[in-house]
Amino acid sequence: MAMDHKLSAVKLLALDVDGVLTDGSINISNEGELFKVFNAKDGMGISCALRSGIQIAIVTGRRSTIIHNRAQELGIQLLREGVKDKFGEMQQLCQELGLNKNQVAYMGDDLNDLPAFRAAGAAFAPSDAVGEVKAAADFVTAAAGGHGAVREAIERILRAQGVWEDIVASYLYCGQGDRQ
């Protein structure tokens, strides 16, 4: 918890997809990618973040209609697909949004995410990320990719910003219209 102060300024959380929002499985048939499995807890976390003013971006090296559909379903407007240079893409996102490095967190699971860590003030890795990524991360979640790791990261950010208890209280009497 000592490093949670890094999270108090976060205004953007950027996420890899395979191994972060999913368990890393890629299901391909002769016709192309068939499906990805997403976690509703991650979706709820993203909804809470967006409602709390934290922007969510997807930064992925793959292109997929499935990713586009999931982003649209969750209300994520910052979708960057086919990214080869995640460091450069993160810098461009910061410039477009008028954010500095300390206002950005990134979550990734494999070697191609390491450059994005350098462009973020806080780096998250799921528990099943490769060793080099976990070693470079500021925070490693207890949950694995595709199994609530994103939700865990978002909850930690919102707690550090002092808004998590208000979010929980908002659910005591009625739903919030979340997309999961």
Side-chain angles (χ1 to χ4, degrees):
M1 294 292 191
M3 293 186 65
D4 281 3
H5 68 279
K6 287 183 120 179
L7 304 178
S8 61
V10 171
K11 295 188 180 308
L12 170 69
L13 173 61
L15 305 166
D16 181 33
V17 175
D18 295 313
V20 173
L21 282 167
T22 75
D23 69 3
S25 298
I26 300 170
N27 302 282
I28 299 175
S29 73
N30 290 336
E31 290 78 39
E33 192 167 36
L34 285 175
F35 66 90
K36 292 183 180 290
V37 177
F38 296 97
N39 189 293
K41 288 181 178 70
D42 289 338
M44 176 65 91
I46 289 168
S47 185
C48 289
L50 291 169
R51 203 171 54 252
S52 298
I54 294 174
Q55 296 186 73
I56 302 292
I58 290 176
V59 180
T60 179
R62 296 179 60 79
R63 291 187 182 277
S64 168
T65 302
I66 296 167
I67 295 168
H68 179 80
N69 291 344
R70 182 64 172 156
Q72 187 174 29
E73 178 180 60
L74 293 173
I76 298 171
Q77 297 179 359
L78 301 169
L79 175 58
R80 304 297 200 266
E81 295 178 281
V83 176
K84 302 294 181 230
D85 174 13
K86 289 189 177 185
F87 178 78
E89 191 66 39
M90 290 295 295
Q91 287 187 311
Q92 185 173 337
L93 264 171
C94 286
Q95 186 177 11
E96 286 174 21
L97 300 172
L99 300 175
N100 66 52
K101 176 180 176 173
N102 294 327
Q103 294 173 303
V104 177
Y106 182 87
M107 184 173 222
D109 71 303
D110 215 332
L111 299 177
N112 61 330
D113 295 306
L114 289 173
F117 278 14
R118 291 188 301 113
F124 284 91
S127 64
D128 60 340
V130 299
E132 295 84 356
V133 170
K134 289 194 290 189
D138 298 304
F139 307 94
V140 177
T141 62
H147 296 280
V150 171
R151 163 65 177 268
E152 189 178 330
I154 289 170
E155 186 174 328
R156 189 159 189 174
I157 292 166
L158 294 174
R159 282 184 187 280
Q161 295 181 358
V163 299
W164 182 251
E165 297 307 322
D166 290 337
I167 290 169
V168 172
S170 73
Y171 285 96
L172 292 178
Y173 299 104
C174 65
Q176 301 298 311
D178 296 291
R179 297 175 244 185
Q180 293 178 276

